[in-house]
PDB file of all heavy atoms in Angstrom:
ATOM      1  N   TYR A 219     118.983 100.830  92.845  1.00  0.00           N
ATOM      2  CA  TYR A 219     118.022 100.321  91.859  1.00  0.00           C
ATOM      3  C   TYR A 219     117.865 101.293  90.692  1.00  0.00           C
ATOM      4  O   TYR A 219     117.673 100.872  89.548  1.00  0.00           O
ATOM      5  CB  TYR A 219     116.672 100.073  92.527  1.00  0.00           C
ATOM      6  CG  TYR A 219     115.719  99.210  91.715  1.00  0.00           C
ATOM      7  CD1 TYR A 219     116.087  97.942  91.283  1.00  0.00           C
ATOM      8  CD2 TYR A 219     114.430  99.662  91.413  1.00  0.00           C
ATOM      9  CE1 TYR A 219     115.221  97.144  90.561  1.00  0.00           C
ATOM     10  CE2 TYR A 219     113.546  98.867  90.696  1.00  0.00           C
ATOM     11  CZ  TYR A 219     113.944  97.618  90.270  1.00  0.00           C
ATOM     12  OH  TYR A 219     113.079  96.830  89.549  1.00  0.00           O
ATOM     13  N   LYS A 220     118.007 102.574  90.954  1.00  0.00           N
ATOM     14  CA  LYS A 220     117.961 103.571  89.878  1.00  0.00           C
ATOM     15  C   LYS A 220     119.026 103.274  88.829  1.00  0.00           C
ATOM     16  O   LYS A 220     118.759 103.357  87.617  1.00  0.00           O
ATOM     17  CB  LYS A 220     118.188 104.973  90.465  1.00  0.00           C
ATOM     18  CG  LYS A 220     118.521 106.047  89.437  1.00  0.00           C
ATOM     19  CD  LYS A 220     119.058 107.300  90.092  1.00  0.00           C
ATOM     20  CE  LYS A 220     119.746 108.196  89.072  1.00  0.00           C
ATOM     21  NZ  LYS A 220     120.332 109.406  89.691  1.00  0.00           N
ATOM     22  N   HIS A 221     120.216 102.926  89.257  1.00  0.00           N
ATOM     23  CA  HIS A 221     121.298 102.611  88.312  1.00  0.00           C
ATOM     24  C   HIS A 221     121.105 101.229  87.692  1.00  0.00           C
ATOM     25  O   HIS A 221     121.355 101.031  86.501  1.00  0.00           O
ATOM     26  CB  HIS A 221     122.648 102.709  89.020  1.00  0.00           C
ATOM     27  CG  HIS A 221     122.967 104.086  89.516  1.00  0.00           C
ATOM     28  ND1 HIS A 221     123.221 105.151  88.674  1.00  0.00           N
ATOM     29  CD2 HIS A 221     123.042 104.587  90.780  1.00  0.00           C
ATOM     30  CE1 HIS A 221     123.455 106.241  89.384  1.00  0.00           C
ATOM     31  NE2 HIS A 221     123.362 105.922  90.660  1.00  0.00           N
ATOM     32  N   GLU A 222     120.635 100.278  88.499  1.00  0.00           N
ATOM     33  CA  GLU A 222     120.485  98.914  87.994  1.00  0.00           C
ATOM     34  C   GLU A 222     119.467  98.832  86.860  1.00  0.00           C
ATOM     35  O   GLU A 222     119.681  98.120  85.869  1.00  0.00           O
ATOM     36  CB  GLU A 222     120.065  97.987  89.146  1.00  0.00           C
ATOM     37  CG  GLU A 222     121.196  97.693  90.133  1.00  0.00           C
ATOM     38  CD  GLU A 222     120.739  96.823  91.289  1.00  0.00           C
ATOM     39  OE1 GLU A 222     119.508  96.721  91.514  1.00  0.00           O
ATOM     40  OE2 GLU A 222     121.608  96.242  91.962  1.00  0.00           O
ATOM     41  N   VAL A 223     118.346  99.544  86.984  1.00  0.00           N
ATOM     42  CA  VAL A 223     117.289  99.403  85.971  1.00  0.00           C
ATOM     43  C   VAL A 223     117.688  99.993  84.623  1.00  0.00           C
ATOM     44  O   VAL A 223     117.006  99.754  83.621  1.00  0.00           O
ATOM     45  CB  VAL A 223     115.965 100.041  86.441  1.00  0.00           C
ATOM     46  CG1 VAL A 223     115.402  99.293  87.639  1.00  0.00           C
ATOM     47  CG2 VAL A 223     116.114 101.536  86.726  1.00  0.00           C
ATOM     48  N   GLN A 224     118.780 100.715  84.588  1.00  0.00           N
ATOM     49  CA  GLN A 224     119.264 101.240  83.312  1.00  0.00           C
ATOM     50  C   GLN A 224     120.199 100.274  82.606  1.00  0.00           C
ATOM     51  O   GLN A 224     120.763 100.596  81.561  1.00  0.00           O
ATOM     52  CB  GLN A 224     119.966 102.585  83.544  1.00  0.00           C
ATOM     53  CG  GLN A 224     119.054 103.679  84.079  1.00  0.00           C
ATOM     54  CD  GLN A 224     119.790 104.980  84.332  1.00  0.00           C
ATOM     55  OE1 GLN A 224     120.309 105.617  83.409  1.00  0.00           O
ATOM     56  NE2 GLN A 224     119.850 105.379  85.589  1.00  0.00           N
ATOM     57  N   THR A 225     120.345  99.068  83.165  1.00  0.00           N
ATOM     58  CA  THR A 225     121.195  98.039  82.560  1.00  0.00           C
ATOM     59  C   THR A 225     120.331  96.896  82.033  1.00  0.00           C
ATOM     60  O   THR A 225     119.249  96.631  82.565  1.00  0.00           O
ATOM     61  CB  THR A 225     122.190  97.475  83.589  1.00  0.00           C
ATOM     62  OG1 THR A 225     121.463  96.736  84.593  1.00  0.00           O
ATOM     63  CG2 THR A 225     122.975  98.593  84.258  1.00  0.00           C
ATOM     64  N   PRO A 226     120.797  96.188  80.997  1.00  0.00           N
ATOM     65  CA  PRO A 226     120.003  95.080  80.451  1.00  0.00           C
ATOM     66  C   PRO A 226     119.700  93.991  81.468  1.00  0.00           C
ATOM     67  O   PRO A 226     118.633  93.379  81.422  1.00  0.00           O
ATOM     68  CB  PRO A 226     120.889  94.552  79.311  1.00  0.00           C
ATOM     69  CG  PRO A 226     121.718  95.725  78.900  1.00  0.00           C
ATOM     70  CD  PRO A 226     121.987  96.482  80.171  1.00  0.00           C
ATOM     71  N   TYR A 227     120.603  93.729  82.410  1.00  0.00           N
ATOM     72  CA  TYR A 227     120.402  92.641  83.365  1.00  0.00           C
ATOM     73  C   TYR A 227     119.195  92.879  84.260  1.00  0.00           C
ATOM     74  O   TYR A 227     118.431  91.958  84.577  1.00  0.00           O
ATOM     75  CB  TYR A 227     121.657  92.458  84.213  1.00  0.00           C
ATOM     76  CG  TYR A 227     121.615  91.268  85.140  1.00  0.00           C
ATOM     77  CD1 TYR A 227     121.867  89.981  84.668  1.00  0.00           C
ATOM     78  CD2 TYR A 227     121.314  91.411  86.492  1.00  0.00           C
ATOM     79  CE1 TYR A 227     121.819  88.872  85.509  1.00  0.00           C
ATOM     80  CE2 TYR A 227     121.268  90.320  87.347  1.00  0.00           C
ATOM     81  CZ  TYR A 227     121.518  89.061  86.849  1.00  0.00           C
ATOM     82  OH  TYR A 227     121.465  87.972  87.683  1.00  0.00           O
ATOM     83  N   TYR A 228     119.000  94.123  84.691  1.00  0.00           N
ATOM     84  CA  TYR A 228     117.907  94.450  85.605  1.00  0.00           C
ATOM     85  C   TYR A 228     116.761  95.201  84.927  1.00  0.00           C
ATOM     86  O   TYR A 228     115.704  95.379  85.523  1.00  0.00           O
ATOM     87  CB  TYR A 228     118.423  95.330  86.756  1.00  0.00           C
ATOM     88  CG  TYR A 228     119.355  94.639  87.713  1.00  0.00           C
ATOM     89  CD1 TYR A 228     120.740  94.766  87.576  1.00  0.00           C
ATOM     90  CD2 TYR A 228     118.870  93.872  88.763  1.00  0.00           C
ATOM     91  CE1 TYR A 228     121.610  94.138  88.460  1.00  0.00           C
ATOM     92  CE2 TYR A 228     119.736  93.250  89.662  1.00  0.00           C
ATOM     93  CZ  TYR A 228     121.101  93.389  89.502  1.00  0.00           C
ATOM     94  OH  TYR A 228     121.961  92.774  90.383  1.00  0.00           O
ATOM     95  N   GLY A 229     116.971  95.646  83.704  1.00  0.00           N
ATOM     96  CA  GLY A 229     116.057  96.600  83.089  1.00  0.00           C
ATOM     97  C   GLY A 229     114.777  96.027  82.525  1.00  0.00           C
ATOM     98  O   GLY A 229     113.906  96.799  82.088  1.00  0.00           O
ATOM     99  N   GLU A 230     114.617  94.702  82.499  1.00  0.00           N
ATOM    100  CA  GLU A 230     113.370  94.065  82.060  1.00  0.00           C
ATOM    101  C   GLU A 230     112.883  94.615  80.710  1.00  0.00           C
ATOM    102  O   GLU A 230     111.703  94.868  80.505  1.00  0.00           O
ATOM    103  CB  GLU A 230     112.272  94.258  83.117  1.00  0.00           C
ATOM    104  CG  GLU A 230     112.603  93.697  84.495  1.00  0.00           C
ATOM    105  CD  GLU A 230     112.596  92.177  84.542  1.00  0.00           C
ATOM    106  OE1 GLU A 230     112.069  91.562  83.601  1.00  0.00           O
ATOM    107  OE2 GLU A 230     113.121  91.616  85.525  1.00  0.00           O
ATOM    108  N   LYS A 231     113.831  94.806  79.789  1.00  0.00           N
ATOM    109  CA  LYS A 231     113.570  95.297  78.430  1.00  0.00           C
ATOM    110  C   LYS A 231     113.124  96.759  78.373  1.00  0.00           C
ATOM    111  O   LYS A 231     112.749  97.256  77.309  1.00  0.00           O
ATOM    112  CB  LYS A 231     112.544  94.418  77.708  1.00  0.00           C
ATOM    113  CG  LYS A 231     112.987  92.963  77.540  1.00  0.00           C
ATOM    114  CD  LYS A 231     111.963  92.157  76.769  1.00  0.00           C
ATOM    115  CE  LYS A 231     112.425  90.716  76.598  1.00  0.00           C
ATOM    116  NZ  LYS A 231     111.428  89.893  75.865  1.00  0.00           N
ATOM    117  N   LEU A 232     113.193  97.444  79.510  1.00  0.00           N
ATOM    118  CA  LEU A 232     112.890  98.876  79.530  1.00  0.00           C
ATOM    119  C   LEU A 232     114.135  99.698  79.869  1.00  0.00           C
ATOM    120  O   LEU A 232     114.042 100.899  80.112  1.00  0.00           O
ATOM    121  CB  LEU A 232     111.792  99.185  80.556  1.00  0.00           C
ATOM    122  CG  LEU A 232     110.367  98.789  80.157  1.00  0.00           C
ATOM    123  CD1 LEU A 232     109.403  99.030  81.316  1.00  0.00           C
ATOM    124  CD2 LEU A 232     109.896  99.557  78.925  1.00  0.00           C
ATOM    125  N   ASP A 233     115.314  99.058  79.867  1.00  0.00           N
ATOM    126  CA  ASP A 233     116.529  99.780  80.249  1.00  0.00           C
ATOM    127  C   ASP A 233     116.832 100.929  79.302  1.00  0.00           C
ATOM    128  O   ASP A 233     117.282 101.998  79.726  1.00  0.00           O
ATOM    129  CB  ASP A 233     117.719  98.819  80.337  1.00  0.00           C
ATOM    130  CG  ASP A 233     117.879  97.962  79.088  1.00  0.00           C
ATOM    131  OD1 ASP A 233     117.047  97.070  78.871  1.00  0.00           O
ATOM    132  OD2 ASP A 233     118.838  98.178  78.335  1.00  0.00           O
ATOM    133  N   GLY A 234     116.580 100.725  77.987  1.00  0.00           N
ATOM    134  CA  GLY A 234     116.825 101.807  77.032  1.00  0.00           C
ATOM    135  C   GLY A 234     115.902 102.986  77.270  1.00  0.00           C
ATOM    136  O   GLY A 234     116.329 104.155  77.196  1.00  0.00           O
TER     137      GLY A 234
END
Side-chain angles (χ1 to χ4, degrees):
Y219 196 56
K220 165 194 164 182
H221 297 292
E222 287 178 343
V223 294
Q224 297 178 64
T225 68
Y227 186 80
Y228 292 97
E230 301 289 345
K231 299 182 179 179
L232 285 175
D233 51 289

